[in-house]
Amino acid sequence: MEPSSVPPPPPPPGAAEPVEQQGPGDPTVGAGIADTRHVVASHAPIVAAEFIGTAVLVMLGPGSAILAPEIGQVGVALSFGFALLIMAYVIGPISGCHINPAVTLAMWLTRKVQLRQAVFSWIAQVLGGIFGAAVIFGIASGRDGWERGGFASNGWDRDGFSGLGSAIVVEIVFTALLVLVVLASTGRRFAPGFGGLTVGITLAVIHLVTIPVDNTSVNPARSIATAIFADTSPSALGQLWAFIVFPLIGAVVGVFVWLLVDEATLESTRLDTDMLRQVRDTIDDAIDDVVD
């Protein structure tokens, strides 16, 4: 029996408008970090998944630096990467495994998630990160002679880190890189099943490069969680603003870079404005002039 050619009925008045999303729910997609291709019926699983995922990221990432400092920067970087890789395949089909407010912002800007889902994800990520940091704090507090110090928090001009300018560049550029990889891995042309692996490796390499600069954030939830439990003398809370603001700016930059290499258009995102269209057209014309 041939399928009916009658189009499906329109949604009832007041129903949520479907959002075209790409992610683990679609077997044609590279999957890992993304979202399912349907209107979200309940946000409870997404909230739970993002809470758990961010808690695990903090427990395995900063947790490795706090509880096992002997593994060094390479070990800490790998811990972050493996944490994201594992969670991408565990909770990716549920929430998309953003576990990072900057990634969620990029997903919202590219219309892969609705605002309500983004807000719930942001709340869950921050609370999950704090919970993970609390677990590590509780474990470490039971160790003889342990001092919390900076508690693996982010910062500048302290603990051997570089200055604020270097931290700003790192957080914008490397968050943009992470977002570019995340968005690329959710595309239909990406190798199915390799999204989580690719993004996990990317996060590990980012940490390998940038831990000496500012202890690597690229994730405001991770920075908030560790700053809360840090000793007051390193001014972790006083410097926290930079690791919220600049990763979010980096997310926006990452979306623009993704638009340069992907088949998606500016008009398909929430960044579509007349001014940005003019900027895009100017850049396109300049590139055409150089190529010609």
Side-chain angles (χ1 to χ4, degrees):
M1 183 176 179
E2 295 183 356
S4 172
S5 61
V6 178
E17 179 183 353
V19 178
E20 183 174 351
Q21 301 167 329
Q22 298 174 339
D26 185 341
T28 67
V29 176
I33 295 187
D35 208 331
T36 50
R37 293 173 56 86
H38 56 75
V39 175
V40 177
S42 172
H43 290 92
I46 293 173
V47 170
E50 289 297 299
F51 180 96
I52 293 170
T54 312
V56 169
L57 179 70
V58 171
M59 287 189 290
L60 298 186
S64 66
I66 295 166
L67 299 178
E70 64 275 6
I71 67 176
Q73 293 181 357
V74 173
V76 173
L78 292 176
S79 296
F80 271 98
F82 281 130
L84 181 56
L85 187 156
I86 293 167
M87 287 296 100
Y89 291 107
V90 172
I91 67 172
I94 302 169
S95 70
C97 187
H98 302 172
I99 60 177
N100 183 336
V103 170
T104 300
L105 175 62
M107 289 293 181
W108 178 72
L109 290 174
T110 54
R111 299 186 184 275
K112 296 181 183 295
V113 298
Q114 295 178 335
L115 180 59
R116 178 176 296 182
Q117 179 177 340
V119 171
F120 280 124
S121 295
W122 287 324
I123 295 172
Q125 290 157 5
V126 172
L127 294 179
I130 293 173
F131 175 82
V135 171
I136 296 301
F137 182 82
I139 296 172
S141 296
R143 305 177 70 179
D144 293 337
W146 179 75
E147 296 181 0
R148 58 181 172 172
F151 201 74
S153 60
N154 303 109
W156 69 86
D157 286 337
R158 63 175 177 84
D159 298 336
F161 298 144
S162 302
L164 176 59
S166 297
I168 291 173
V169 173
V170 159
E171 296 306 321
I172 293 177
V173 171
F174 285 92
T175 305
L177 171 60
L178 178 63
V179 165
L180 170 63
V181 174
V182 167
L183 292 175
S185 71
T186 66
R188 294 183 179 277
R189 294 180 294 180
F190 197 82
F194 284 90
L197 178 64
T198 303
V199 177
I201 292 174
T202 300
L203 185 63
V205 173
I206 287 174
H207 278 78
L208 283 173
V209 174
T210 64
I211 283 178
V213 179
D214 62 358
N215 218 22
T216 313
S217 172
V218 301
N219 184 339
R222 166 262 191 273
S223 298
I224 292 171
T226 52
I228 288 175
F229 291 92
D231 199 338
T232 55
S233 59
S235 300
L237 282 173
Q239 297 181 344
L240 176 60
W241 64 271
F243 303 101
I244 297 175
V245 173
F246 296 112
L248 295 179
I249 293 175
V252 178
V253 173
V255 171
F256 278 116
V257 176
W258 173 71
L259 288 173
L260 292 176
V261 300
D262 193 81
E263 59 187 9
T265 63
L266 178 64
E267 289 78 4
S268 67
T269 72
R270 291 186 169 91
L271 294 171
D272 184 28
T273 64
D274 291 338
M275 182 185 71
L276 291 179
R277 287 188 187 188
Q278 292 176 358
V279 172
R280 177 205 53 194
D281 293 341
T282 300
I283 294 174
D284 288 343
D285 292 341
I287 294 175
D288 290 339
D289 291 341
V290 171
V291 173
D292 294 340

